[in-house]
Structures are given as structure tokens and as C-alpha cells.
Amino acid sequence: MPTHERIRSLLQRYGIALFAVAAAFVFTLLLQGFFPYPFLFLFFGAVMASAWFGGTGPGLFAVLLSIVVVDYFFVPPFRSFSISASAGAYFAAFVACALAASWVSSSKKKSEVALKQGLDQLEVRVSERTAELMKTQAELAHLSQVLSMGELTASIAHEINQPLTAVVTHGHACIEWLSANPPNLEKTRQTAERIIQDGTRAGAVLSRIRALFKKEAPAKHWFDMNDVIHELTVFLRDEATRHRISIRTDLVPGLAKVKADRIQLQQVVLNLMMNGMDAVAETTERPRELLISAREKDSELIVRIEDSGMGLDAETVEKIFNPFFTTKPHGFGMGLSISRSIIESHGGHLWAVPRPSGGAVFQFTLPIRPKESDA
């Protein structure tokens, strides 16, 4: 602060003390006739106001002025700076109270100023921290988008991995049949047909997933869910044998047909079966089993996939269908979320419960076609 501004501020603060004491003096003179003893409380107010608005220096200056004025005008003998013996104790008490008032007022003001400065500094820090958090949040949101795209890409790759693997396997088998002497053309033709089927299925999976995320209506047709389950059981038989997993089915012949997107429901059942196999593969305490069943109940088809794996706790059951939530060390957390979206788009419901004998049960419902119109 420049020197002239400091001098101006100093004069203003001490001017406040002088004005406050002068005002107290005037009003005390006016009130003196109404009290049998000197009414000096206004000087305490002047001292406190001077210390509050001016600080410690102006407060002590107000105390000094008040002592001089009170001694000369209000303490006998009047109009004199001498003090009678009878008024000495009274005057000493006034001085002590004035000093105490000045100290209390200036201390209170300092505390308030310090508190205000602390709050201002805290507000600045909070603003800076908020800005940093907003920047960090924006960075995390961008990172989340990048990771989400990576997770989604990996999940889609996982969905089409099985048909592509089958294409490669059948391709090798086709070469083996052609290398035979003489070439087994019948086996080669059958294997080529399987390559076409699996390649078509892989393309259909991508098409259905894209339609799902574009919120397009599924391509629904009437079909038998037993056929889908049987196809997938055969498809996963070698994988189950390799991991010593027993896959059993409990299917009721003549189930009512469902009108749905066959490719999407294949992916749902395949995902649930593979999840069950992953859970069972870690089991050592009981037989490794996977049971797939289908039943009709109350105009709905109920499909259940039961495994004898480690099971589900209450917290996991609540979160397991959330996107990117997974219990697998290398999982993506998208399969069950996509599966639930597919089932709900067909008017059904997908949920999970713990299996009483150990393991988990994933089941979903679908509206069914009345039996009299099956044909």
C-alpha cells in the first residue's frame, strides 16, 4: 500500500476513535442531570466501537481520551485532573473496564477478520479443487468412453469367436478329407456346408448386435427352443468334454413355439451356457454339471441353465447384469447385460438366483405361441 494511503487509513481509524469519544462525551453531559452519579457507560461503547472499527491502536487512543475526559469533567473535583480519595476506586474501576472493553473488542475483531480470511482462502482452495476435480472428471469420462468402446469391441469379438473357430476347424477338416487317397468328396461337401453355416451365423451375430444397439426391432420368426438348445449342446460338447463337464438337458417334447430372433436367442443361451461352464470349471468339491431345461408355465416358456459352480451371493445377484460388472478375472462384463437387453426386447425377463444345492441358476422367460396354432 502506498505511503499516502497508509496515512489516510491511519487518520480515518484514529478519527473514528476521536469522534466516538466526543459523541460519548456529549451524550453523557446531556444525561448527567438524570443520574445521581456519573453515567459513564457510553464511553465503554465508544472504546469498543473504536477498537472494533479501528483496531488496537485506535482502541487504546479512545481509552486515553475517555480517561482524560472522565477525569476532568465527571470525577470530583470537577474541571480538574486531580482525583479525590473517595472517587479513586471508582475511577480505577472505570480505567480497568475501559482497557478490558478495548482488548475484548479488538480481539473479537481480529478473530473475525482471521476467520473471514480463512473462509476466503478456503473458498479459493475449494474453487481450485473443484476446477481440478472437474478437469479430472472430464478426463475420466473420456477414459471411460475409450474403455467402454474397448470392452464392447472385445465383447462382440467374444460373441463371434465361436462360429469363426468352427469355420477354421471345419476348414482344416476339409483339407484333411481332400488330402485322403482317394479324396473323400462326400465328407468334404458336408464340411464345406458347415463352413457356410458357421460363416453365415457369424455374420448374423454381428448384424443382430448392431441392430440391438441401434434399437431396431428384432427379426422375429416362430421356432422351437428345444432345437436351439440341442444345437448348442452339440456345439459345446467337445469343450465340455475337454474340461470334464457333464452337460445334461431336461427338455419337454412338443413345447409351444416362440416368436423371436433365433440368432439373438442363440447368443443368449450360448452366453449363459459358457458362463455356467466357466463357473463349473473352477469347482473341485462336487461334480461338474450343467443342466439346461425348458418348461411351459402360465403362457410363458421358462428356460433354466443350472450349474454346480461356486454360486452367487446377494450382492453379486444385484450387480451381475450391470454393464462392465464381471466376476471373471479376464471378463468384459457385457455378456449378461446384452443378454438381458435381448430378452427384454422380446417381452421376457432374465434373472439369476443361487442354486440350493450349490451353484447358480440363470433363467429367462419368453411369451409362447398357443399350441393349437403351432402348425
Side-chain angles (χ1 to χ4, degrees), residues 300-375:
E300 288 184 326
L301 177 68
I302 302 178
V303 178
R304 294 165 54 96
I305 293 88
E306 306 181 31
D307 65 69
S308 59
M310 301 303 294
L312 301 171
D313 54 36
E315 183 179 358
T316 303
V317 169
E318 293 293 328
K319 299 180 179 179
I320 198 168
F321 292 100
N322 293 342
F324 307 118
F325 177 84
T326 180
T327 58
K328 302 177 184 178
H330 305 290
F332 304 116
M334 288 295 295
L336 289 176
S337 176
I338 294 175
S339 296
R340 172 173 275 187
S341 298
I342 291 174
I343 294 300
E344 290 178 350
S345 70
H346 286 80
H349 180 54
L350 170 63
W351 72 100
V353 294
R355 189 182 184 213
S357 58
V361 179
F362 286 83
Q363 50 195 334
F364 63 86
T365 61
L366 290 171
I368 57 177
R369 184 181 187 182
K371 283 190 173 183
E372 57 268 21
S373 58
D374 280 352

Side-chain angles (χ1 to χ4, degrees), residues 114-134:
L115 179 60
K116 185 177 182 303
Q117 291 177 348
L119 291 176
D120 291 341
Q121 293 176 0
L122 180 61
E123 184 177 355
V124 171
R125 292 177 182 175
V126 169
S127 300
E128 293 175 350
R129 185 59 177 166
T130 301
E132 293 176 0
L133 289 176
M134 291 180 65

Side-chain angles (χ1 to χ4, degrees), residues 24 57 76 84 93 96 103 108-109 146 167 183 195 197 201 205 218 229 240 258 268 272 314 338 354 360:
S84 64
W103 177 80
K108 182 69 174 177
K109 182 63 175 180
V146 173
V167 168
I195 290 175
Q197 292 175 357
R201 188 157 67 93
V205 169
I229 296 174
V258 295
V268 171
L272 296 178
I338 294 175

Side-chain angles (χ1 to χ4, degrees), residues 154-165:
S155 179
I156 294 175
H158 174 73
E159 293 295 330
I160 65 173
N161 181 63
Q162 293 294 339
L164 292 182
T165 300

